[in-house]
Amino acid sequence: MKLSMKDKDFLNYWLYVAFPNCFDLQQYFLQHGHNTHHYNQEQHTITVAGKEITIWMFRHHVEYRIGERELYQPCLPYDAVKTLDSDAYLLLLPIVDMATCDYRSERVLPDLKQRLSETALPGEYVEEVAYDICCGLVDGNGAEDEPLWMIWDETEEKRYGAFWWHDAQELELYAEDEEIPSVYIAVSQGEDNDSCVQTQEGKLQPEQPVSDMCVGKDEAALYDWARKMLSDWILKFV
């Protein structure tokens, strides 16, 4: 299936699944709904900056992989993506590393407006959508702190996330459902401490010395552990 941002249905799907951390944009979909079944289980490959990146599309989220390994942190330089056509630009924008000062919103926002104007998005919404995406990706939705990385998974009905707060050494399990409170799991990485402490809604719970809830300092192991925690947590709601 050819993917084109000039296709209204695909554009609507992509804005929903690719930018879950752009909260103002997601509020629009919560209010107006979205059609996602056409692209569930689709795969699309793009080569950029010498990397062959495969995009895995699901009903409520999207994953990026190089070979068999999923990308869990933004890794592409903005300059490499900026030279691509509008379709590829928007497909890869979620994994652009915006962490350096060169990629401030005043640089990205004009590009976003131009690229979105070349899609099926009605002209009257281009500026608002560009601002919402830029606010989420570049400015962290105005928050003083933001997760180092986010993992997304889903059930048929809704989307769930696992957010890694590096400074606090905590994993947040999150559901796009106001009735489901977030759960926080603190990870101890000291040599003599292999226990984790789980909190819910910021309230400390008794320490649970369960060794398989903890990981070492290796980022890949941490990611795999977080993915498992998220999958196990989702099973409680299905």
Side-chain angles (χ1 to χ4, degrees):
M1 178 183 294
K2 179 174 173 55
L3 305 178
S4 174
M5 299 296 173
K6 294 184 182 295
D7 181 324
K8 182 179 179 181
D9 286 340
F10 179 70
L11 177 66
N12 181 280
Y13 162 81
W14 188 252
L15 292 176
Y16 166 67
V17 299
F19 304 103
N21 54 322
C22 300
F23 299 137
D24 288 339
L25 184 63
Q26 294 306 314
Q27 284 301 314
Y28 170 84
F29 291 110
L30 288 175
Q31 295 171 10
H32 296 88
H34 40 78
N35 186 357
T36 65
H37 68 277
H38 291 303
Y39 308 100
N40 191 27
Q41 302 297 325
E42 289 287 334
Q43 294 182 27
H44 184 72
T45 299
I46 301 176
T47 300
V48 59
K51 298 180 176 68
E52 189 174 89
I53 297 175
T54 301
I55 305 170
W56 290 43
M57 302 176 193
F58 300 92
R59 187 182 296 268
H60 298 291
H61 79 289
V62 62
E63 297 174 6
Y64 294 85
R65 302 189 183 189
I66 296 179
E68 296 299 318
R69 190 67 189 176
E70 183 178 353
L71 300 178
Y72 57 92
Q73 283 185 275
C75 62
L76 296 179
Y78 183 71
D79 287 340
V81 174
K82 184 178 179 180
T83 62
L84 303 175
D85 61 53
S86 292
D87 287 341
Y89 174 90
L90 290 169
L91 287 170
L92 295 176
L93 192 63
I95 56 169
V96 167
D97 183 2
M98 299 286 186
T100 71
C101 61
D102 289 336
Y103 304 145
R104 294 186 184 277
S105 55
E106 57 264 27
R107 179 183 179 191
V108 177
L109 186 58
D111 293 341
L112 262 174
K113 290 179 182 178
Q114 175 61 39
R115 300 310 185 111
L116 288 170
S117 71
E118 299 171 2
T119 71
L121 187 67
E124 61 267 29
Y125 296 118
V126 165
E127 186 167 351
E128 180 181 356
V129 171
Y131 177 80
D132 289 347
I133 293 176
C134 198
C135 183
L137 292 186
V138 184
D139 299 328
N141 295 296
E144 293 183 0
D145 190 17
E146 57 182 321
L148 181 62
W149 43 258
M150 304 178 183
I151 304 170
W152 297 96
D153 207 339
E154 64 183 54
T155 62
E156 186 173 341
E157 299 297 328
K158 61 173 64 75
R159 183 162 49 197
Y160 298 81
F163 308 156
W164 177 245
W165 297 91
H166 180 72
D167 290 345
Q169 291 289 287
E170 280 189 336
L171 183 72
E172 176 187 358
L173 301 179
Y174 164 83
E176 284 190 339
D177 187 329
E178 293 182 353
E179 296 183 0
I180 301 177
S182 290
V183 170
Y184 295 84
I185 304 172
V187 179
S188 297
Q189 296 182 333
E191 293 182 356
D192 299 322
N193 189 348
D194 62 353
S195 62
C196 294
V197 178
Q198 179 170 310
T199 66
Q200 183 168 344
E201 288 292 288
K203 296 180 180 179
L204 190 64
Q205 300 296 323
E207 189 167 345
Q208 303 176 14
V210 183
S211 60
D212 64 357
M213 291 178 65
C214 298
V215 296
K217 295 181 180 180
D218 179 79
E219 284 294 323
L222 178 62
Y223 171 82
D224 291 339
W225 168 79
R227 170 66 76 183
K228 183 180 185 301
M229 291 296 100
L230 179 60
S231 296
D232 290 349
W233 187 60
I234 291 174
L235 289 176
K236 298 179 180 180
F237 309 108
V238 296

